[in-house]
Structure formats: C-alpha cells, structure tokens
Short mmCIF file of all heavy atoms in Angstrom, two decimals:
data_model
loop_
_atom_site.label_atom_id
_atom_site.label_comp_id
_atom_site.label_asym_id
_atom_site.label_seq_id
_atom_site.Cartn_x
_atom_site.Cartn_y
_atom_site.Cartn_z
N GLN A 23 -83.73 -43.40 -180.41
CA GLN A 23 -83.86 -42.62 -181.64
C GLN A 23 -83.08 -41.31 -181.52
O GLN A 23 -82.36 -40.93 -182.43
CB GLN A 23 -85.33 -42.33 -181.94
CG GLN A 23 -86.15 -43.56 -182.24
CD GLN A 23 -87.62 -43.23 -182.46
OE1 GLN A 23 -88.06 -42.10 -182.28
NE2 GLN A 23 -88.40 -44.22 -182.85
N TYR A 24 -83.25 -40.62 -180.39
CA TYR A 24 -82.50 -39.39 -180.15
C TYR A 24 -82.67 -38.96 -178.70
O TYR A 24 -83.57 -39.43 -178.00
CB TYR A 24 -82.93 -38.26 -181.10
CG TYR A 24 -84.41 -37.93 -181.05
CD1 TYR A 24 -84.91 -37.02 -180.11
CD2 TYR A 24 -85.29 -38.48 -181.96
CE1 TYR A 24 -86.25 -36.70 -180.08
CE2 TYR A 24 -86.64 -38.17 -181.93
CZ TYR A 24 -87.10 -37.27 -181.00
OH TYR A 24 -88.44 -36.96 -180.95
N LEU A 25 -81.78 -38.08 -178.24
CA LEU A 25 -81.90 -37.51 -176.91
C LEU A 25 -83.06 -36.52 -176.89
O LEU A 25 -83.20 -35.70 -177.79
CB LEU A 25 -80.60 -36.80 -176.51
CG LEU A 25 -79.38 -37.69 -176.29
CD1 LEU A 25 -78.16 -36.84 -175.99
CD2 LEU A 25 -79.62 -38.69 -175.16
N TYR A 26 -83.87 -36.61 -175.85
CA TYR A 26 -85.10 -35.82 -175.77
C TYR A 26 -84.85 -34.59 -174.90
O TYR A 26 -85.02 -34.61 -173.68
CB TYR A 26 -86.22 -36.69 -175.18
CG TYR A 26 -87.61 -36.09 -175.29
CD1 TYR A 26 -88.36 -36.24 -176.45
CD2 TYR A 26 -88.16 -35.38 -174.23
CE1 TYR A 26 -89.63 -35.70 -176.55
CE2 TYR A 26 -89.43 -34.84 -174.33
CZ TYR A 26 -90.16 -35.00 -175.48
OH TYR A 26 -91.42 -34.46 -175.58
N TRP A 27 -84.41 -33.50 -175.54
CA TRP A 27 -84.25 -32.22 -174.86
C TRP A 27 -85.46 -31.36 -175.18
O TRP A 27 -85.84 -31.24 -176.35
CB TRP A 27 -83.00 -31.49 -175.37
CG TRP A 27 -81.70 -32.16 -175.13
CD1 TRP A 27 -81.03 -32.99 -175.98
CD2 TRP A 27 -80.88 -32.04 -173.97
NE1 TRP A 27 -79.85 -33.39 -175.42
CE2 TRP A 27 -79.73 -32.83 -174.19
CE3 TRP A 27 -81.00 -31.35 -172.76
CZ2 TRP A 27 -78.71 -32.94 -173.24
CZ3 TRP A 27 -80.00 -31.46 -171.83
CH2 TRP A 27 -78.86 -32.24 -172.07
N SER A 28 -86.05 -30.72 -174.20
CA SER A 28 -87.17 -29.84 -174.51
C SER A 28 -87.32 -28.76 -173.44
O SER A 28 -86.86 -28.90 -172.31
CB SER A 28 -88.48 -30.63 -174.63
OG SER A 28 -88.91 -31.10 -173.37
N LEU A 29 -87.96 -27.69 -173.83
CA LEU A 29 -88.34 -26.60 -172.94
C LEU A 29 -89.85 -26.49 -173.01
O LEU A 29 -90.43 -26.50 -174.10
CB LEU A 29 -87.68 -25.29 -173.37
CG LEU A 29 -87.84 -24.10 -172.42
CD1 LEU A 29 -87.11 -24.37 -171.10
CD2 LEU A 29 -87.27 -22.83 -173.06
N GLY A 30 -90.50 -26.41 -171.84
CA GLY A 30 -91.96 -26.43 -171.83
C GLY A 30 -92.58 -25.45 -170.86
O GLY A 30 -91.89 -24.87 -170.00
N TYR A 31 -93.88 -25.29 -171.00
CA TYR A 31 -94.64 -24.41 -170.12
C TYR A 31 -95.97 -25.07 -169.80
O TYR A 31 -96.62 -25.65 -170.68
CB TYR A 31 -94.88 -23.06 -170.79
CG TYR A 31 -95.46 -22.01 -169.86
CD1 TYR A 31 -94.63 -21.22 -169.09
CD2 TYR A 31 -96.84 -21.83 -169.75
CE1 TYR A 31 -95.15 -20.26 -168.23
CE2 TYR A 31 -97.37 -20.88 -168.89
CZ TYR A 31 -96.51 -20.09 -168.14
OH TYR A 31 -97.03 -19.16 -167.27
N THR A 32 -96.36 -25.00 -168.53
CA THR A 32 -97.63 -25.57 -168.08
C THR A 32 -98.67 -24.47 -167.92
O THR A 32 -98.46 -23.51 -167.16
CB THR A 32 -97.47 -26.30 -166.74
OG1 THR A 32 -96.54 -27.38 -166.91
CG2 THR A 32 -98.80 -26.87 -166.27
N PHE A 33 -99.77 -24.61 -168.64
CA PHE A 33 -100.90 -23.70 -168.49
C PHE A 33 -101.87 -24.34 -167.49
O PHE A 33 -102.43 -25.40 -167.74
CB PHE A 33 -101.61 -23.48 -169.84
CG PHE A 33 -100.73 -22.82 -170.87
CD1 PHE A 33 -99.95 -23.59 -171.73
CD2 PHE A 33 -100.68 -21.44 -170.97
CE1 PHE A 33 -99.14 -22.99 -172.68
CE2 PHE A 33 -99.87 -20.82 -171.92
CZ PHE A 33 -99.10 -21.60 -172.78
N LYS A 34 -102.01 -23.70 -166.34
CA LYS A 34 -102.86 -24.24 -165.29
C LYS A 34 -104.33 -24.19 -165.72
O LYS A 34 -104.82 -23.16 -166.18
CB LYS A 34 -102.68 -23.46 -163.99
CG LYS A 34 -101.28 -23.53 -163.42
CD LYS A 34 -100.94 -24.92 -162.91
CE LYS A 34 -99.59 -24.95 -162.23
NZ LYS A 34 -99.23 -26.29 -161.74
N GLY A 35 -105.01 -25.32 -165.55
CA GLY A 35 -106.40 -25.41 -165.95
C GLY A 35 -107.36 -25.18 -164.80
O GLY A 35 -106.97 -25.07 -163.63
N SER A 36 -108.62 -25.14 -165.12
CA SER A 36 -109.67 -24.96 -164.12
C SER A 36 -109.99 -26.30 -163.47
O SER A 36 -109.78 -27.36 -164.08
CB SER A 36 -110.93 -24.39 -164.77
OG SER A 36 -110.66 -23.13 -165.37
N PRO A 37 -110.48 -26.29 -162.23
CA PRO A 37 -110.91 -27.53 -161.59
C PRO A 37 -111.95 -28.26 -162.42
O PRO A 37 -112.78 -27.64 -163.10
CB PRO A 37 -111.48 -27.06 -160.26
CG PRO A 37 -110.80 -25.76 -160.00
CD PRO A 37 -110.62 -25.13 -161.34
N VAL A 38 -111.92 -29.59 -162.38
CA VAL A 38 -112.85 -30.40 -163.16
C VAL A 38 -114.29 -30.10 -162.77
O VAL A 38 -115.18 -30.04 -163.62
CB VAL A 38 -112.55 -31.90 -162.96
CG1 VAL A 38 -113.61 -32.75 -163.65
CG2 VAL A 38 -111.16 -32.24 -163.50
N SER A 39 -114.55 -29.85 -161.48
CA SER A 39 -115.92 -29.56 -161.02
C SER A 39 -116.45 -28.29 -161.67
O SER A 39 -117.63 -28.19 -162.02
CB SER A 39 -115.94 -29.42 -159.50
OG SER A 39 -115.07 -28.38 -159.08
N LYS A 40 -115.59 -27.30 -161.85
CA LYS A 40 -116.01 -26.05 -162.48
C LYS A 40 -116.32 -26.26 -163.96
O LYS A 40 -117.26 -25.68 -164.50
CB LYS A 40 -114.91 -25.00 -162.31
CG LYS A 40 -115.30 -23.62 -162.82
CD LYS A 40 -114.20 -22.61 -162.54
CE LYS A 40 -114.60 -21.22 -163.04
NZ LYS A 40 -113.54 -20.22 -162.77
N ILE A 41 -115.51 -27.11 -164.62
CA ILE A 41 -115.74 -27.41 -166.03
C ILE A 41 -117.09 -28.12 -166.21
O ILE A 41 -117.86 -27.81 -167.13
CB ILE A 41 -114.60 -28.28 -166.60
CG1 ILE A 41 -113.28 -27.49 -166.55
CG2 ILE A 41 -114.91 -28.72 -168.02
CD1 ILE A 41 -112.08 -28.30 -166.97
N LYS A 42 -117.39 -29.07 -165.29
CA LYS A 42 -118.66 -29.80 -165.39
C LYS A 42 -119.85 -28.87 -165.23
O LYS A 42 -120.91 -29.08 -165.82
CB LYS A 42 -118.69 -30.90 -164.33
CG LYS A 42 -117.72 -32.05 -164.60
CD LYS A 42 -117.81 -33.12 -163.52
CE LYS A 42 -116.88 -34.28 -163.83
NZ LYS A 42 -116.93 -35.32 -162.76
N LYS A 43 -119.71 -27.84 -164.41
CA LYS A 43 -120.81 -26.89 -164.21
C LYS A 43 -120.93 -25.94 -165.39
O LYS A 43 -122.01 -25.50 -165.74
CB LYS A 43 -120.57 -26.09 -162.91
CG LYS A 43 -120.69 -26.91 -161.64
CD LYS A 43 -120.44 -26.04 -160.42
CE LYS A 43 -120.54 -26.86 -159.13
NZ LYS A 43 -120.25 -26.02 -157.94
N THR A 44 -119.78 -25.60 -166.02
CA THR A 44 -119.79 -24.63 -167.10
C THR A 44 -120.39 -25.19 -168.38
O THR A 44 -121.15 -24.51 -169.08
CB THR A 44 -118.34 -24.15 -167.37
OG1 THR A 44 -117.80 -23.61 -166.18
CG2 THR A 44 -118.32 -23.09 -168.46
N ILE A 45 -120.09 -26.46 -168.69
CA ILE A 45 -120.54 -27.06 -169.95
C ILE A 45 -122.07 -27.09 -170.06
O ILE A 45 -122.63 -26.64 -171.06
CB ILE A 45 -119.94 -28.47 -170.13
CG1 ILE A 45 -118.43 -28.36 -170.32
CG2 ILE A 45 -120.58 -29.20 -171.32
CD1 ILE A 45 -117.72 -29.69 -170.42
N PRO A 46 -122.81 -27.56 -169.03
CA PRO A 46 -124.29 -27.54 -169.15
C PRO A 46 -124.84 -26.12 -169.29
O PRO A 46 -125.83 -25.89 -169.99
CB PRO A 46 -124.75 -28.17 -167.82
CG PRO A 46 -123.60 -29.01 -167.39
CD PRO A 46 -122.39 -28.25 -167.81
N ALA A 47 -124.17 -25.14 -168.63
CA ALA A 47 -124.63 -23.76 -168.73
C ALA A 47 -124.46 -23.24 -170.15
O ALA A 47 -125.34 -22.51 -170.65
CB ALA A 47 -123.85 -22.90 -167.73
#
C-alpha cells in the first residue's frame, strides 16, 4: 500500500507486579 516511515517514542511502563498491587488498592 505504501512505504511505512515513522518516528516514535517509547513511554516506559511500570512492572506488571506493581500494577496488580495498585489496582486493588
């Protein structure tokens, strides 16, 4: 369809274990 040129940025997330503890709280 077309050439896929892009510029991106990665936002580092929190560990999954921390997310699991935060949601119940």
Side-chain angles (χ1 to χ4, degrees):
Q23 295 177 353
Y24 56 86
L25 293 176
Y26 192 85
W27 297 94
S28 71
L29 188 66
Y31 190 87
T32 298
F33 297 91
K34 298 291 185 180
S36 300
V38 174
S39 59
K40 185 176 181 180
I41 296 175
K42 290 181 178 179
K43 291 180 181 178
T44 303
I45 293 176

